[in-house]
Amino acid sequence: MTDTVVLPPPDALTEDRLDPTLDLVAEIDRLRREKNAIILAHYYQDGEIQDLADFVGDSLDLSRKAAATDADMIVFCGVRFMGEVAKILSPGKIVVIPDAEAGCSLEESCRPDTFRAFREKHPDHIAVTYINCSADIKALSDVIVTSSNAEVIVNSLPADKPILFAPDRHLGAFIAKKTGRDMTLWPGSCIIHEQFSEKELVKLKVRHPGALVAAHPECPESVLGHADYVGSTKGILDFVIKSPGKDFIIATEPHIIHQMTKAAPEKTFIPAPFANGACASCADCPFMARNTLEKIYLAMVNEGPAIQVPEDLRVQALKPLERMLEMSKSVPMSPDSSGATNAA
Ligand code: 13P
């Protein structure tokens, strides 16, 4: 897999040399102004990171924001593939990520050589690839999708063409069912969504009669079968805000509950359980959790870890991403939903 992260030089400021009395939020704000930076955060980030971001969104809206910004620096608080997407779409900008090791289990499950062989075995198929993958895999794909536009995009592909879908088999199966399309699925899954337990969910529903279940399509079909709503993080957020319901069970990474509580403080949001039932933070994404205020500050000071995508790879990966943006025009963009006041 192509290494797209350039680490800061050895003499760069490090966490152990940070002044512990520093007001990190104020310092990040100062750097944001001085460097004309925009801070983008996924809903799976810690609440304090969501609150200082200029824009909080799902994978599609974050990509759109990264493509359209006139900031000089993009600070991407998410995972590495999201930073890569920003750099592919906005190559003239400095794109930094707080932690070089913030990966993704779906990305890991899909390596370029094996994916190339998968494509070669199905030469007549259109390769529709979930955005949770490396730049190498994007470069080998026909069109990229996210959980909020996959159905629209698959529905608009020529009806006589079979489809390869990678790397999330649960999202793929969900879209195949919705669209009725012939789809061959890559056998990948997200380490978090994979573990939500149908049995524990049913028990939780018994304890909270009337609670509505909102689930991300990365969940297994057995869990989705109990959902009142299935959609992207942004879709789930919109659903709980607009629904007349009062109690909701949320089957996705639970940091999104931060935005739900801000938007609808009178409602109750209950994280969906894993098989062991009781664990409060089991469903926290360990990759997203690597990002901290300290690392955001350091990334802005050091202008690294920075994303650099070799130009030939970038040009190849850009094509299916641009196709995605073009084919997603009917999917509305969220208004800004951040706590920050000085968006670039
Ligand atoms: P969305 O951002 O499309 O809701 O997907 C969640 C996810 O898997 C992010 O990696």
Side-chain angles (χ1 to χ4, degrees):
M1 209 130 74
T2 306
D3 185 2
T4 55
V5 181
V6 180
L7 294 174
D11 61 345
L13 184 60
T14 48
E15 209 161 334
D16 54 322
R17 289 192 287 129
L18 263 188
D19 173 0
T21 65
L22 218 55
D23 178 344
L24 285 168
V25 174
E27 283 299 300
I28 290 168
D29 228 17
R30 176 182 63 76
L31 287 168
R32 167 164 39 200
R33 284 192 300 276
E34 282 178 18
K35 301 203 175 200
N36 187 30
I38 186 170
I39 302 176
L40 304 180
H42 193 270
Y43 292 122
Y44 294 165
Q45 288 290 278
D46 215 61
E48 64 181 359
I49 296 178
Q50 294 188 40
D51 287 348
L52 65 73
D54 296 292
F55 182 80
V56 186
D58 69 359
S59 303
L60 176 62
D61 281 352
L62 288 166
S63 305
R64 288 163 158 168
K65 202 73 183 175
T69 183
D70 57 8
D72 296 317
M73 177 190 277
I74 299 172
V75 183
F76 215 121
C77 301
V79 291
R80 194 176 47 233
F81 79 78
M82 296 178 177
E84 283 182 357
V85 168
K87 188 68 179 179
I88 292 165
L89 292 170
S90 283
K93 320 256 179 238
I94 298 167
V95 177
V96 298
I97 55 174
D99 190 302
E101 304 300 319
C104 169
S105 54
L106 280 163
E107 176 186 341
E108 278 305 311
S109 79
C110 195
R111 314 293 290 190
D113 285 352
T114 334
F115 184 73
R116 194 178 287 109
F118 182 61
R119 281 222 69 174
E120 282 167 6
K121 238 178 103 184
H122 303 90
D124 56 333
H125 287 52
I126 301 176
V128 177
T129 307
Y130 192 29
I131 199 164
N132 297 39
C133 66
S134 64
D136 297 286
I137 299 297
K138 289 185 175 79
L140 293 166
S141 303
D142 293 315
V143 62
I144 303 302
V145 298
T146 74
S147 59
S148 60
N149 60 19
E151 187 180 346
V152 168
I153 290 179
V154 167
N155 267 329
S156 61
L157 296 174
D160 57 334
K161 284 275 193 184
I163 291 167
L164 289 185
F165 190 92
D168 190 292
R169 68 193 168 102
H170 298 307
L171 174 63
F174 175 72
I175 298 299
K177 203 166 160 186
K178 293 275 276 191
T179 60
R181 296 296 298 261
D182 171 10
M183 286 168 67
T184 301
L185 310 178
W186 182 270
S189 63
C190 161
I191 50 166
I192 295 302
H193 291 88
E194 179 77 287
Q195 293 189 69
F196 289 119
S197 156
E198 181 193 12
K199 191 170 144 206
E200 294 298 328
L201 177 60
V202 169
K203 286 197 228 166
L204 193 63
K205 283 183 78 167
V206 171
R207 291 206 301 278
H208 298 273
L212 299 175
V213 178
H216 196 279
E218 287 180 21
C219 293
E221 194 179 2
S222 59
V223 170
L224 296 182
H226 296 275
D228 298 284
Y229 175 81
V230 180
S232 76
T233 43
K234 181 186 129 194
I236 292 175
L237 182 59
D238 289 347
F239 169 74
V240 303
I241 293 170
K242 289 183 189 142
S243 165
K246 288 267 172 278
D247 300 336
F248 299 87
I249 298 172
I250 307 300
T252 192
E253 212 276 358
H255 282 97
I256 192 174
I257 291 175
H258 180 68
Q259 293 295 333
M260 296 175 175
T261 312
K262 278 171 75 168
E266 73 288 0
K267 297 185 179 181
T268 304
F269 306 105
I270 308 153
F274 276 12
N276 53 13
C279 169
S281 58
C282 285
D284 290 0
C285 170
F287 302 108
M288 292 277 180
R290 296 187 71 90
N291 297 335
T292 60
L293 291 189
E294 284 81 0
K295 290 179 190 172
I296 293 169
Y297 171 73
L298 289 171
M300 294 177 85
V301 170
N302 295 328
E303 302 194 356
I307 301 289
Q308 288 293 352
V309 182
E311 187 57 13
D312 52 342
L313 175 61
R314 189 191 73 80
V315 170
Q316 285 303 310
L318 180 62
K319 285 185 221 161
L321 271 171
E322 283 187 331
R323 215 165 277 144
M324 170 187 87
L325 294 178
E326 183 59 34
M327 294 171 88
S328 307
K329 287 198 168 141
S330 64
V331 181
M333 171 105 185
S334 265
D336 283 12
S337 57
S338 71
T341 50
N342 51 350

